Amino acid sequence: GQQLNQSPQSMFIQEGEDVSMNCTSSSIFNTWLWYKQDPGEGPVLLIALYKAGELTSNGRLTAQFGITRKDSFLNISASIPSDVGIYFCAGRYAGTASKLTFGTGTRLQVTL
Amino acid sequence: GAGVSQSPSNKVTEKGKDVELRCDPISGHTALYWYRQSLGQGLEFLIYFQGNSAPDKSGLPSDRFSAERTGGSVSTLTIQRTQQEDSAVYLCASSLGVGIGAQPQHFGDGTRLSIL
């Protein structure tokens, strides 16, 4: 199935550092979502974006819906060990009312 | 319960056998989705339900895969004559509705299916 381009694939950072990851699509999206998945669990919603240019924060997390509607980024500030996990972007293409298309994930490792 | 519930959490079966995976969505959520996640990969859409009907089955990989939903609630994903490539985590999600501005999808913890 079709997937978004998500980068980087993995990151090793030190506690306290800021993290940035992004997703790009060749098609226009009308919704961008960011999820975090821990081992053995389902994805948990972090942030939902519904309008081009929208910038939304959830604690130390900030995400933006790109102006072109073809990209989105997620920033994590002052990372802590519990930020470890796999982060997925997901989007809903314009004209698709239902299914989400997922990125390939960014695996985040935080060292003390 | 408060979240999406899936059962079983793990299933190991022999190649060629049929399997049924169950999803119990969040109460009141009319939309239900099935996804498949292979090892180290993102999620791949399979099918979605609005109520008891399935307007989009485009992600089902073959006619061995089918799903149904009854009473606008519980859904069952059935895989017939399983193959080794069917091994994956099968995730279910639900949302209040569909369309632009629809509430985002909330996921269960999945069923890890292993075909020997």
Side-chain angles (χ1 to χ4, degrees), chain A residues 8-13 18-21 106-110:
Chain A
Q9 287 188 336
S10 63
M11 304 180 71
F12 288 82
I13 63 169
D18 296 345
V19 173
S20 184
M21 59 192 78
T106 295
R107 182 181 297 273
L108 181 62
Q109 301 269 42
V110 180

Side-chain angles (χ1 to χ4, degrees), chain B residues 55-110:
Chain B
D56 189 349
K57 308 178 184 179
S58 62
L60 294 178
S62 75
D63 58 7
R64 297 187 294 105
F65 288 72
S66 63
E68 65 175 14
R69 189 180 186 195
T70 56
S73 181
V74 172
S75 176
T76 302
L77 177 69
T78 301
I79 309 173
Q80 295 178 308
R81 305 180 303 280
T82 52
Q83 303 294 312
Q84 287 186 331
E85 62 262 28
D86 298 335
S87 297
V89 177
Y90 289 81
L91 289 154
C92 176
S94 70
S95 67
L96 278 174
V98 298
I100 295 173
Q103 291 296 308
Q105 298 171 21
H106 297 270
F107 285 83
D109 287 338

Side-chain angles (χ1 to χ4, degrees), chain B residues 18-40:
Chain B
D18 297 350
V19 295
E20 281 190 356
L21 312 179
R22 175 189 167 106
C23 173
D24 201 340
I26 293 172
S27 178
H29 280 194
T30 61
L32 184 148
Y33 311 78
W34 284 98
Y35 292 85
R36 179 169 71 174
Q37 185 176 30
S38 301
L39 187 64

Side-chain angles (χ1 to χ4, degrees), chain B residues 42-57:
Chain B
L43 280 70
E44 174 189 5
F45 170 81
L46 298 178
I47 186 172
Y48 108 90
F49 289 89
Q50 178 61 36
N52 291 336
S53 63
D56 189 349
K57 308 178 184 179

Side-chain angles (χ1 to χ4, degrees), chain A residues 14-90:
Chain A
Q14 288 193 325
E15 184 178 8
E17 289 184 349
D18 296 345
V19 173
S20 184
M21 59 192 78
N22 68 84
C23 277
T24 59
S25 168
S26 58
S27 301
I28 290 174
F29 276 17
N30 59 31
T31 303
W32 281 99
L33 305 168
W34 285 91
Y35 288 88
K36 178 175 184 267
Q37 187 175 29
D38 292 327
E41 299 183 8
V44 174
L45 181 68
L46 300 174
I47 293 179
L49 303 160
Y50 297 105
K51 288 191 284 192
E54 181 179 354
L55 184 71
T56 297
S57 293
N58 178 7
R60 293 178 296 105
L61 278 61
T62 301
Q64 184 160 31
F65 193 140
I67 289 292
T68 65
R69 297 172 66 191
K70 292 183 177 181
D71 63 338
S72 177
F73 72 76
L74 174 71
N75 286 343
I76 305 172
S77 63
S79 57
I80 59 178
S82 62
D83 290 335
V84 166
I86 302 178
Y87 292 79
F88 289 100
C89 62

